[in-house]
PDB file of all heavy atoms in Angstrom:
ATOM      1  N   GLY A  76      32.032  68.090-116.364  1.00  0.00           N
ATOM      2  CA  GLY A  76      32.660  66.865-116.792  1.00  0.00           C
ATOM      3  C   GLY A  76      34.119  67.001-117.252  1.00  0.00           C
ATOM      4  O   GLY A  76      34.580  66.219-117.990  1.00  0.00           O
ATOM      5  N   THR A  77      34.869  67.930-116.674  1.00  0.00           N
ATOM      6  CA  THR A  77      36.299  67.954-116.858  1.00  0.00           C
ATOM      7  C   THR A  77      36.877  66.563-116.422  1.00  0.00           C
ATOM      8  O   THR A  77      37.786  66.022-117.087  1.00  0.00           O
ATOM      9  CB  THR A  77      36.898  69.085-116.082  1.00  0.00           C
ATOM     10  OG1 THR A  77      36.600  70.290-116.730  1.00  0.00           O
ATOM     11  CG2 THR A  77      38.520  68.948-116.002  1.00  0.00           C
ATOM     12  N   HIS A  78      36.340  66.045-115.359  1.00  0.00           N
ATOM     13  CA  HIS A  78      36.682  64.751-114.919  1.00  0.00           C
ATOM     14  C   HIS A  78      35.395  63.879-115.269  1.00  0.00           C
ATOM     15  O   HIS A  78      34.359  64.080-114.660  1.00  0.00           O
ATOM     16  CB  HIS A  78      37.068  64.654-113.464  1.00  0.00           C
ATOM     17  CG  HIS A  78      38.296  65.339-113.238  1.00  0.00           C
ATOM     18  ND1 HIS A  78      38.462  66.392-112.287  1.00  0.00           N
ATOM     19  CD2 HIS A  78      39.490  65.285-113.720  1.00  0.00           C
ATOM     20  CE1 HIS A  78      39.627  66.951-112.286  1.00  0.00           C
ATOM     21  NE2 HIS A  78      40.298  66.240-113.204  1.00  0.00           N
ATOM     22  N   GLY A  79      35.566  62.908-116.212  1.00  0.00           N
ATOM     23  CA  GLY A  79      34.380  62.260-116.788  1.00  0.00           C
ATOM     24  C   GLY A  79      33.591  61.352-115.761  1.00  0.00           C
ATOM     25  O   GLY A  79      32.556  60.888-116.148  1.00  0.00           O
ATOM     26  N   GLU A  81      32.691  62.388-112.925  1.00  0.00           N
ATOM     27  CA  GLU A  81      32.089  63.299-111.945  1.00  0.00           C
ATOM     28  C   GLU A  81      30.720  63.715-112.652  1.00  0.00           C
ATOM     29  O   GLU A  81      30.724  64.590-113.519  1.00  0.00           O
ATOM     30  CB  GLU A  81      32.955  64.480-111.704  1.00  0.00           C
ATOM     31  CG  GLU A  81      34.310  64.070-111.012  1.00  0.00           C
ATOM     32  CD  GLU A  81      35.271  65.222-110.760  1.00  0.00           C
ATOM     33  OE1 GLU A  81      34.939  66.395-111.038  1.00  0.00           O
ATOM     34  OE2 GLU A  81      36.455  64.883-110.328  1.00  0.00           O
ATOM     35  N   TYR A 121      40.367  60.720-112.712  1.00  0.00           N
ATOM     36  CA  TYR A 121      41.536  61.510-112.756  1.00  0.00           C
ATOM     37  C   TYR A 121      42.087  61.752-114.134  1.00  0.00           C
ATOM     38  O   TYR A 121      42.301  62.934-114.598  1.00  0.00           O
ATOM     39  CB  TYR A 121      42.676  60.948-111.890  1.00  0.00           C
ATOM     40  CG  TYR A 121      42.388  60.841-110.465  1.00  0.00           C
ATOM     41  CD1 TYR A 121      43.223  60.067-109.670  1.00  0.00           C
ATOM     42  CD2 TYR A 121      41.455  61.632-109.819  1.00  0.00           C
ATOM     43  CE1 TYR A 121      43.020  59.869-108.259  1.00  0.00           C
ATOM     44  CE2 TYR A 121      41.188  61.469-108.409  1.00  0.00           C
ATOM     45  CZ  TYR A 121      42.036  60.669-107.726  1.00  0.00           C
ATOM     46  OH  TYR A 121      41.831  60.525-106.377  1.00  0.00           O
ATOM     47  N   ASN A 128      45.909  64.612-116.376  1.00  0.00           N
ATOM     48  CA  ASN A 128      44.662  65.071-115.737  1.00  0.00           C
ATOM     49  C   ASN A 128      44.367  66.428-116.489  1.00  0.00           C
ATOM     50  O   ASN A 128      45.002  67.384-116.498  1.00  0.00           O
ATOM     51  CB  ASN A 128      45.038  65.438-114.261  1.00  0.00           C
ATOM     52  CG  ASN A 128      43.874  65.952-113.486  1.00  0.00           C
ATOM     53  OD1 ASN A 128      42.890  66.550-113.992  1.00  0.00           O
ATOM     54  ND2 ASN A 128      43.937  65.726-112.172  1.00  0.00           N
ATOM     55  N   ASN A 130      42.494  68.869-115.760  1.00  0.00           N
ATOM     56  CA  ASN A 130      42.588  70.059-114.942  1.00  0.00           C
ATOM     57  C   ASN A 130      44.038  70.373-114.386  1.00  0.00           C
ATOM     58  O   ASN A 130      44.162  70.999-113.326  1.00  0.00           O
ATOM     59  CB  ASN A 130      41.570  69.920-113.772  1.00  0.00           C
ATOM     60  CG  ASN A 130      41.094  71.296-113.285  1.00  0.00           C
ATOM     61  OD1 ASN A 130      41.086  72.296-114.016  1.00  0.00           O
ATOM     62  ND2 ASN A 130      40.700  71.309-111.985  1.00  0.00           N
ATOM     63  N   ASP A 162      33.784  76.337-113.205  1.00  0.00           N
ATOM     64  CA  ASP A 162      34.287  74.950-113.498  1.00  0.00           C
ATOM     65  C   ASP A 162      33.642  74.077-112.451  1.00  0.00           C
ATOM     66  O   ASP A 162      33.875  74.153-111.254  1.00  0.00           O
ATOM     67  CB  ASP A 162      35.785  74.962-113.330  1.00  0.00           C
ATOM     68  CG  ASP A 162      36.406  73.626-113.800  1.00  0.00           C
ATOM     69  OD1 ASP A 162      35.794  72.920-114.499  1.00  0.00           O
ATOM     70  OD2 ASP A 162      37.515  73.294-113.346  1.00  0.00           O
ATOM     71  N   MET A 163      32.825  73.047-112.986  1.00  0.00           N
ATOM     72  CA  MET A 163      31.976  72.295-112.040  1.00  0.00           C
ATOM     73  C   MET A 163      32.483  70.811-111.885  1.00  0.00           C
ATOM     74  O   MET A 163      32.584  70.097-112.841  1.00  0.00           O
ATOM     75  CB  MET A 163      30.545  72.249-112.675  1.00  0.00           C
ATOM     76  CG  MET A 163      29.933  73.652-112.913  1.00  0.00           C
ATOM     77  SD  MET A 163      28.531  73.817-113.899  1.00  0.00           S
ATOM     78  CE  MET A 163      27.268  73.177-112.690  1.00  0.00           C
ATOM     79  N   HIS A 164      32.713  70.575-110.649  1.00  0.00           N
ATOM     80  CA  HIS A 164      33.284  69.281-110.288  1.00  0.00           C
ATOM     81  C   HIS A 164      32.507  68.591-109.148  1.00  0.00           C
ATOM     82  O   HIS A 164      31.627  69.256-108.610  1.00  0.00           O
ATOM     83  CB  HIS A 164      34.766  69.415-109.734  1.00  0.00           C
ATOM     84  CG  HIS A 164      35.713  69.831-110.803  1.00  0.00           C
ATOM     85  ND1 HIS A 164      36.645  69.048-111.407  1.00  0.00           N
ATOM     86  CD2 HIS A 164      35.911  70.967-111.466  1.00  0.00           C
ATOM     87  CE1 HIS A 164      37.369  69.646-112.246  1.00  0.00           C
ATOM     88  NE2 HIS A 164      36.909  70.818-112.381  1.00  0.00           N
ATOM     89  N   CYS A 165      32.849  67.312-108.849  1.00  0.00           N
ATOM     90  CA  CYS A 165      32.458  66.783-107.563  1.00  0.00           C
ATOM     91  C   CYS A 165      33.558  65.811-107.177  1.00  0.00           C
ATOM     92  O   CYS A 165      34.635  65.788-107.852  1.00  0.00           O
ATOM     93  CB  CYS A 165      31.168  66.071-107.721  1.00  0.00           C
ATOM     94  SG  CYS A 165      31.106  64.707-108.908  1.00  0.00           S
ATOM     95  N   GLY A 166      33.443  65.034-106.089  1.00  0.00           N
ATOM     96  CA  GLY A 166      34.385  64.063-105.822  1.00  0.00           C
ATOM     97  C   GLY A 166      34.486  63.046-107.005  1.00  0.00           C
ATOM     98  O   GLY A 166      33.462  62.825-107.617  1.00  0.00           O
ATOM     99  N   ASP A 167      35.653  62.655-107.338  1.00  0.00           N
ATOM    100  CA  ASP A 167      35.804  61.755-108.482  1.00  0.00           C
ATOM    101  C   ASP A 167      35.211  60.385-108.081  1.00  0.00           C
ATOM    102  O   ASP A 167      34.753  60.233-106.877  1.00  0.00           O
ATOM    103  CB  ASP A 167      37.247  61.633-108.914  1.00  0.00           C
ATOM    104  CG  ASP A 167      37.408  61.471-110.428  1.00  0.00           C
ATOM    105  OD1 ASP A 167      36.599  60.696-110.988  1.00  0.00           O
ATOM    106  OD2 ASP A 167      38.296  62.022-110.944  1.00  0.00           O
ATOM    107  N   GLU A 170      36.027  59.332-104.543  1.00  0.00           N
ATOM    108  CA  GLU A 170      36.145  60.392-103.609  1.00  0.00           C
ATOM    109  C   GLU A 170      34.779  60.670-102.947  1.00  0.00           C
ATOM    110  O   GLU A 170      33.811  61.014-103.579  1.00  0.00           O
ATOM    111  CB  GLU A 170      36.760  61.712-104.224  1.00  0.00           C
ATOM    112  CG  GLU A 170      38.214  61.599-104.585  1.00  0.00           C
ATOM    113  CD  GLU A 170      38.718  62.813-105.316  1.00  0.00           C
ATOM    114  OE1 GLU A 170      37.880  63.461-105.907  1.00  0.00           O
ATOM    115  OE2 GLU A 170      39.960  62.858-105.476  1.00  0.00           O
ATOM    116  N   THR A 231      35.610  77.405-108.950  1.00  0.00           N
ATOM    117  CA  THR A 231      35.476  76.036-109.079  1.00  0.00           C
ATOM    118  C   THR A 231      34.569  75.495-107.962  1.00  0.00           C
ATOM    119  O   THR A 231      34.591  76.048-106.831  1.00  0.00           O
ATOM    120  CB  THR A 231      36.814  75.343-108.949  1.00  0.00           C
ATOM    121  OG1 THR A 231      37.685  75.838-109.908  1.00  0.00           O
ATOM    122  CG2 THR A 231      36.753  73.745-109.129  1.00  0.00           C
ATOM    123  N   VAL A 232      33.619  74.636-108.368  1.00  0.00           N
ATOM    124  CA  VAL A 232      32.651  74.291-107.332  1.00  0.00           C
ATOM    125  C   VAL A 232      32.736  72.702-107.316  1.00  0.00           C
ATOM    126  O   VAL A 232      32.958  72.024-108.289  1.00  0.00           O
ATOM    127  CB  VAL A 232      31.242  74.693-107.712  1.00  0.00           C
ATOM    128  CG1 VAL A 232      31.138  76.198-107.662  1.00  0.00           C
ATOM    129  CG2 VAL A 232      30.746  74.121-109.020  1.00  0.00           C
ATOM    130  N   GLU A 233      32.264  72.163-106.150  1.00  0.00           N
ATOM    131  CA  GLU A 233      32.335  70.663-105.883  1.00  0.00           C
ATOM    132  C   GLU A 233      31.024  70.302-105.092  1.00  0.00           C
ATOM    133  O   GLU A 233      30.782  70.795-104.095  1.00  0.00           O
ATOM    134  CB  GLU A 233      33.584  70.303-105.082  1.00  0.00           C
ATOM    135  CG  GLU A 233      34.917  70.859-105.513  1.00  0.00           C
ATOM    136  CD  GLU A 233      35.601  69.830-106.353  1.00  0.00           C
ATOM    137  OE1 GLU A 233      35.167  68.649-106.548  1.00  0.00           O
ATOM    138  OE2 GLU A 233      36.713  70.097-106.728  1.00  0.00           O
TER     139      GLU A 233
HETATM  140 ZN1   ZN B 401      37.112  67.038-110.882  1.00  0.00          ZN
END
Side-chain angles (χ1 to χ4, degrees):
T77 286
H78 298 123
E81 299 177 6
Y121 296 160
N128 183 335
N130 206 26
D162 186 24
M163 302 168 77
H164 291 252
C165 62
D167 218 319
E170 291 172 342
T231 301
V232 299
E233 306 266 0

